[in-house]
């Protein structure tokens, strides 16, 4: 019985940790504090939030995985991590999808 309770406790803890690891931050909040400085139109080479055509072209040509890698590693004028030091790959994808609307 004791082993069963320990196993159930570990399963619950593991499930909780796994859920926390995949939870994304609010895309609008991330954009406001980290992405908006360039993606509000101040940097001509950065696709602007809401420019659906520009974002769709990038998504179609490069794919979401590549765009997330660019945000993580930096690309052209974009600094590594896109100035979001606590963002996960899921956070970057959510922000890209949000900006593309």
């Amino acid at each position: 019985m004791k082993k069963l309770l320990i196993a159930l406790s570990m399963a619950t803890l593991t499930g909780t940790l796994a859920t926390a690891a995949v939870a994304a931050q609010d895309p609008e909040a991330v954009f406001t504090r980290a992405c908006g400085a360039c993606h509000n139109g101040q940097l001509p080479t950065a696709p602007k939030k809401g420019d659906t055509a520009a974002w769709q072209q990038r998504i179609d040509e490069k794919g979401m995985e590549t765009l997330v890698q660019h945000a993580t590693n930096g690309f052209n004028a974009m600094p590594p991590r896109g100035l979001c030091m606590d963002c996960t790959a899921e956070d970057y994808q959510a922000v890209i999808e949000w900006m593309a609307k």
Side-chain angles (χ1 to χ4, degrees), residues 29-53:
V30 172
F31 176 83
T32 300
R33 73 178 156 85
C35 309
C38 297
H39 290 281
N40 266 333
Q42 292 84 345
L43 186 63
T45 57
K48 189 175 178 181
K49 190 260 180 272
D51 187 344
T52 306

Side-chain angles (χ1 to χ4, degrees), residues 2-18:
K2 186 175 179 181
K3 286 183 180 182
L4 177 60
L5 290 175
I6 291 171
L8 287 174
S9 296
M10 292 303 292
T12 301
L13 179 60
T14 303
T16 302
L17 292 177

Side-chain angles (χ1 to χ4, degrees), residues 46-92:
K48 189 175 178 181
K49 190 260 180 272
D51 187 344
T52 306
W55 281 106
Q56 194 58 54
Q57 179 182 359
R58 283 169 171 79
I59 292 167
D60 291 345
E61 290 176 2
K62 298 178 181 190
M64 184 60 73
E65 184 177 330
T66 298
L67 295 178
V68 170
Q69 287 175 355
H70 287 172
T72 303
N73 301 322
F75 184 75
N76 293 334
M78 184 170 182
R81 313 259 343 132
L83 301 179
C84 183
M85 299 308 157
D86 63 343
C87 282
T88 64
E90 293 82 10
D91 292 329
Y92 291 126

